[in-house]
Amino acid sequence: MSFDIIETWLAKNPEAVGCKRDGQSIFRELALFQDYHGLPAFKQALVDFMAEIRGNKVSFEPNNIVLTAGATSANETLMFCLAEHGDAFLLPTPYYPGFDRDLKWRTGVQIVPIHCTSSNCFRITASAIEEAYQQAQKKNLTVKGILITNPSNPLGTTMTRPELNLLINFITDKQIHLISDEIYSGTVFNSPSFISIMEALKDMNMEKNNRVHIVYSLSKDLGLPGFRVGAIYSNDPTVVSAAVKMSSFGLVSSQTQYLLSVMLSDKKFRNHYIVENQNRLLKRQRKLVSGLEKSGIRCLESNAGLFCWVDMRHLLSSDTFEAEMELWERIIYHVKLNISPGSSCHCNEPGWFRVCFANMSEDALELAMQRLKSFVGSIKKHNHQESEKSRKESHIRKWFFRLSFQSFNEQDQL
């Protein structure tokens, strides 16, 4: 959605693209093996960018960051570092479907859901965390930590300070770890403002806590998933050391690091991009919400992310996940819109869907809204016809019953 801003910068900075510095080629320098720790210039530029997104309320130490090939690699690496095969991590629902792959497939780690519900807008509660922890213990699973996404994918919401404080107190009490996946931190386009787990720790005088770790990437905030740039931030030197060794299985290329180090060191570009991208996200989100409302569909109130958590429970034929999948298949195959069913995100309430709004043109979004409105209209028409049919059948049954009853009485009198 904001590629034009990046493309404008690239056009004005051909040296960064052409592997040059001060007019001199540095191709050979970049083409050879680099230190697994990453280019110092890039790590400094990255932590500065992370701090700016968080309003410079917190700062990050470059030596505490480990570069990985995207957030996928970062999350898996942390699982290998913090848990053994068969151990468990608690995750609030609904959560990103890819975690079932990223956290479990190769590590053998188990996911135990912290069930959150629409009754409180899917906020985390103390009772829900404790229930998940007890559930894991009943299964003889050793809980090694909690993993959260803040801002949330798929909810598009930021966590409140009470939620973050609750999590910090819980992991401190249980002596387990907390991973805060903050890859959408730069997409917060409306109030309330984003509170990083590092800011919450700082306010509790616990900023050096070595049981809290952050996952970050440039896939969402800069829209560069193809560049495969992710990072782990931890105050635990043992975790950093182990993660650096494991990063050899998924390094970020030297030319990518160099290009982005130049780009993110440009403060004017950084400031302009962050503000303009958030303004565009707000405009696009409002367009989606407005379009859905015209179709009689509500969304969970959101302030971040590239998607909305959409309530289509009233369109289900029944309150079941089978009905949810039936509706999803109709939207996919007949309406030709690609949305994610809530069950794929482990939501325990059928009828919720994740709908993206930032990965298409405005014209495409407008067309999507038109198709969805037409589809919902057809469902309402069908339901009305079925209701009329049912009403008529009921009327006929009542009439037939009265007639039969009258005939029976007449025969009885005879």
Side-chain angles (χ1 to χ4, degrees):
M1 189 182 66
S2 297
F3 272 165
D4 61 297
I5 302 175
I6 296 176
E7 289 171 334
T8 299
W9 185 89
L10 292 173
K12 293 179 180 178
N13 296 269
E15 282 200 348
V17 182
C19 298
K20 292 184 178 181
R21 184 192 299 127
D22 299 326
Q24 301 296 316
S25 174
I26 57 170
F27 169 77
R28 296 188 179 188
E29 176 185 333
L30 297 175
L32 298 174
F33 273 118
Q34 298 293 328
D35 191 328
Y36 286 173
H37 291 79
L39 300 182
F42 174 59
K43 293 173 70 175
Q44 183 63 58
L46 184 61
V47 296
D48 289 345
F49 184 62
M50 291 170 62
E52 188 164 346
I53 284 173
R54 291 155 181 78
N56 290 308
K57 296 176 182 178
V58 291
S59 59
F60 298 91
E61 170 57 48
N63 291 331
N64 290 355
I65 205 163
V66 180
L67 301 179
T68 63
T72 296
S73 178
N75 280 311
E76 185 187 58
T77 297
L78 279 174
M79 291 299 107
F80 276 122
C81 290
L82 303 177
E84 300 293 341
H85 190 283
D87 289 342
F89 261 76
L90 311 182
L91 271 70
T93 64
Y95 62 77
Y96 165 57
F99 283 148
D100 291 322
R101 170 201 64 207
D102 303 347
L103 309 183
K104 296 171 59 176
W105 279 10
R106 298 199 296 184
T107 66
V109 169
Q110 300 297 309
I111 293 176
V112 177
I114 300 172
H115 288 297
C116 304
T117 67
S118 61
S119 61
N120 69 340
C121 299
F122 298 96
R123 294 296 179 185
I124 299 174
T125 63
S127 59
I129 299 175
E130 186 60 40
E131 184 179 343
Y133 189 83
Q134 295 299 328
Q135 187 66 28
Q137 290 194 319
K138 288 179 182 178
K139 295 180 179 179
N140 293 319
L141 297 174
T142 301
V143 177
K144 286 298 181 74
I146 300 175
L147 187 148
I148 60 172
T149 55
N150 183 31
S152 168
N153 174 10
L155 299 178
T157 58
T158 51
M159 284 194 173
T160 63
R161 191 174 294 276
E163 284 179 289
L164 295 173
N165 291 347
L166 170 65
L167 289 162
I168 293 170
N169 289 332
F170 186 86
I171 64 122
T172 301
D173 179 59
K174 302 295 186 183
Q175 289 295 289
I176 58 177
H177 295 269
L178 175 61
I179 300 173
S180 182
D181 186 326
E182 300 184 357
I183 66 173
Y184 289 95
S185 54
T187 69
V188 181
F189 51 77
N190 211 344
S191 60
S193 59
F194 173 65
I195 304 173
S196 170
I197 193 66
M198 294 300 289
E199 182 181 343
L201 286 170
K202 182 179 180 181
D203 292 343
M204 298 173 71
N205 296 316
M206 299 172 65
E207 59 262 45
K208 295 301 180 182
N209 190 312
N210 64 358
R211 289 185 175 271
V212 177
H213 321 278
I214 289 178
V215 167
Y216 186 62
S217 89
L218 298 179
S219 297
K220 314 305 179 185
D221 287 354
L222 278 182
L224 301 175
F227 277 33
R228 308 310 303 145
V229 179
I232 296 167
Y233 188 86
S234 176
N235 285 316
D236 187 335
T238 304
V239 170
V240 172
S241 177
V244 167
K245 293 178 177 66
M246 294 192 66
S247 71
S248 62
F249 296 103
L251 296 172
V252 182
S253 69
S254 300
Q255 68 268 35
T256 299
Q257 290 188 57
Y258 175 68
L259 168 61
L260 293 174
S261 70
V262 179
M263 181 185 294
L264 295 181
S265 295
D266 187 335
K267 293 183 179 180
K268 184 177 180 181
F269 165 79
R270 278 199 329 240
N271 294 338
H272 172 62
Y273 182 89
I274 292 171
V275 173
E276 180 61 23
N277 187 55
Q278 291 172 348
N279 288 337
R280 294 183 185 187
L281 286 172
L282 175 60
K283 179 181 177 183
R284 199 62 80 78
Q285 186 257 11
R286 285 177 173 173
K287 189 178 184 70
L288 174 64
V289 172
S290 174
L292 290 173
E293 285 179 347
K294 292 176 182 177
S295 302
I297 299 174
R298 297 185 307 105
C299 299
L300 182 74
E301 187 174 351
S302 61
N303 66 320
L306 314 175
F307 33 74
C308 283
W309 191 236
V310 179
D311 185 359
M312 296 190 188
R313 288 176 291 180
H314 61 295
L315 300 178
L316 299 182
S317 58
S318 63
D319 187 24
T320 63
F321 287 109
E322 289 77 14
E324 177 183 278
M325 293 306 293
E326 178 186 321
L327 178 62
W328 175 71
E329 288 179 358
R330 292 175 68 186
I331 293 174
I332 285 284
Y333 294 115
H334 300 292
V335 188
K336 305 294 185 182
L337 295 181
N338 187 9
I339 65 176
S340 303
S343 54
S344 70
C345 303
H346 298 271
C347 181
N348 61 353
E349 299 176 17
W352 291 89
F353 293 81
R354 191 191 76 159
V355 179
C356 296
F357 57 78
N359 59 340
M360 64 191 80
S361 67
E362 285 198 40
D363 290 341
L365 182 59
E366 185 66 38
L367 177 60
M369 293 299 95
Q370 291 172 7
R371 288 185 183 180
L372 200 55
K373 185 177 181 180
S374 176
F375 173 68
V376 173
S378 69
I379 290 181
K380 289 180 178 179
K381 182 179 179 180
H382 174 75
N383 290 344
H384 177 71
Q385 290 173 340
E386 288 296 309
S387 178
E388 281 295 302
K389 181 181 177 182
S390 177
R391 186 183 65 80
K392 289 178 181 179
E393 289 176 347
S394 176
H395 178 72
I396 292 172
R397 283 194 298 271
K398 288 179 181 178
W399 177 81
F400 181 76
F401 175 78
R402 285 198 300 268
L403 187 64
S404 299
F405 185 74
Q406 182 180 356
S407 175
F408 174 80
N409 284 339
E410 289 174 352
Q411 290 178 14
D412 187 51
Q413 289 172 5
L414 290 173

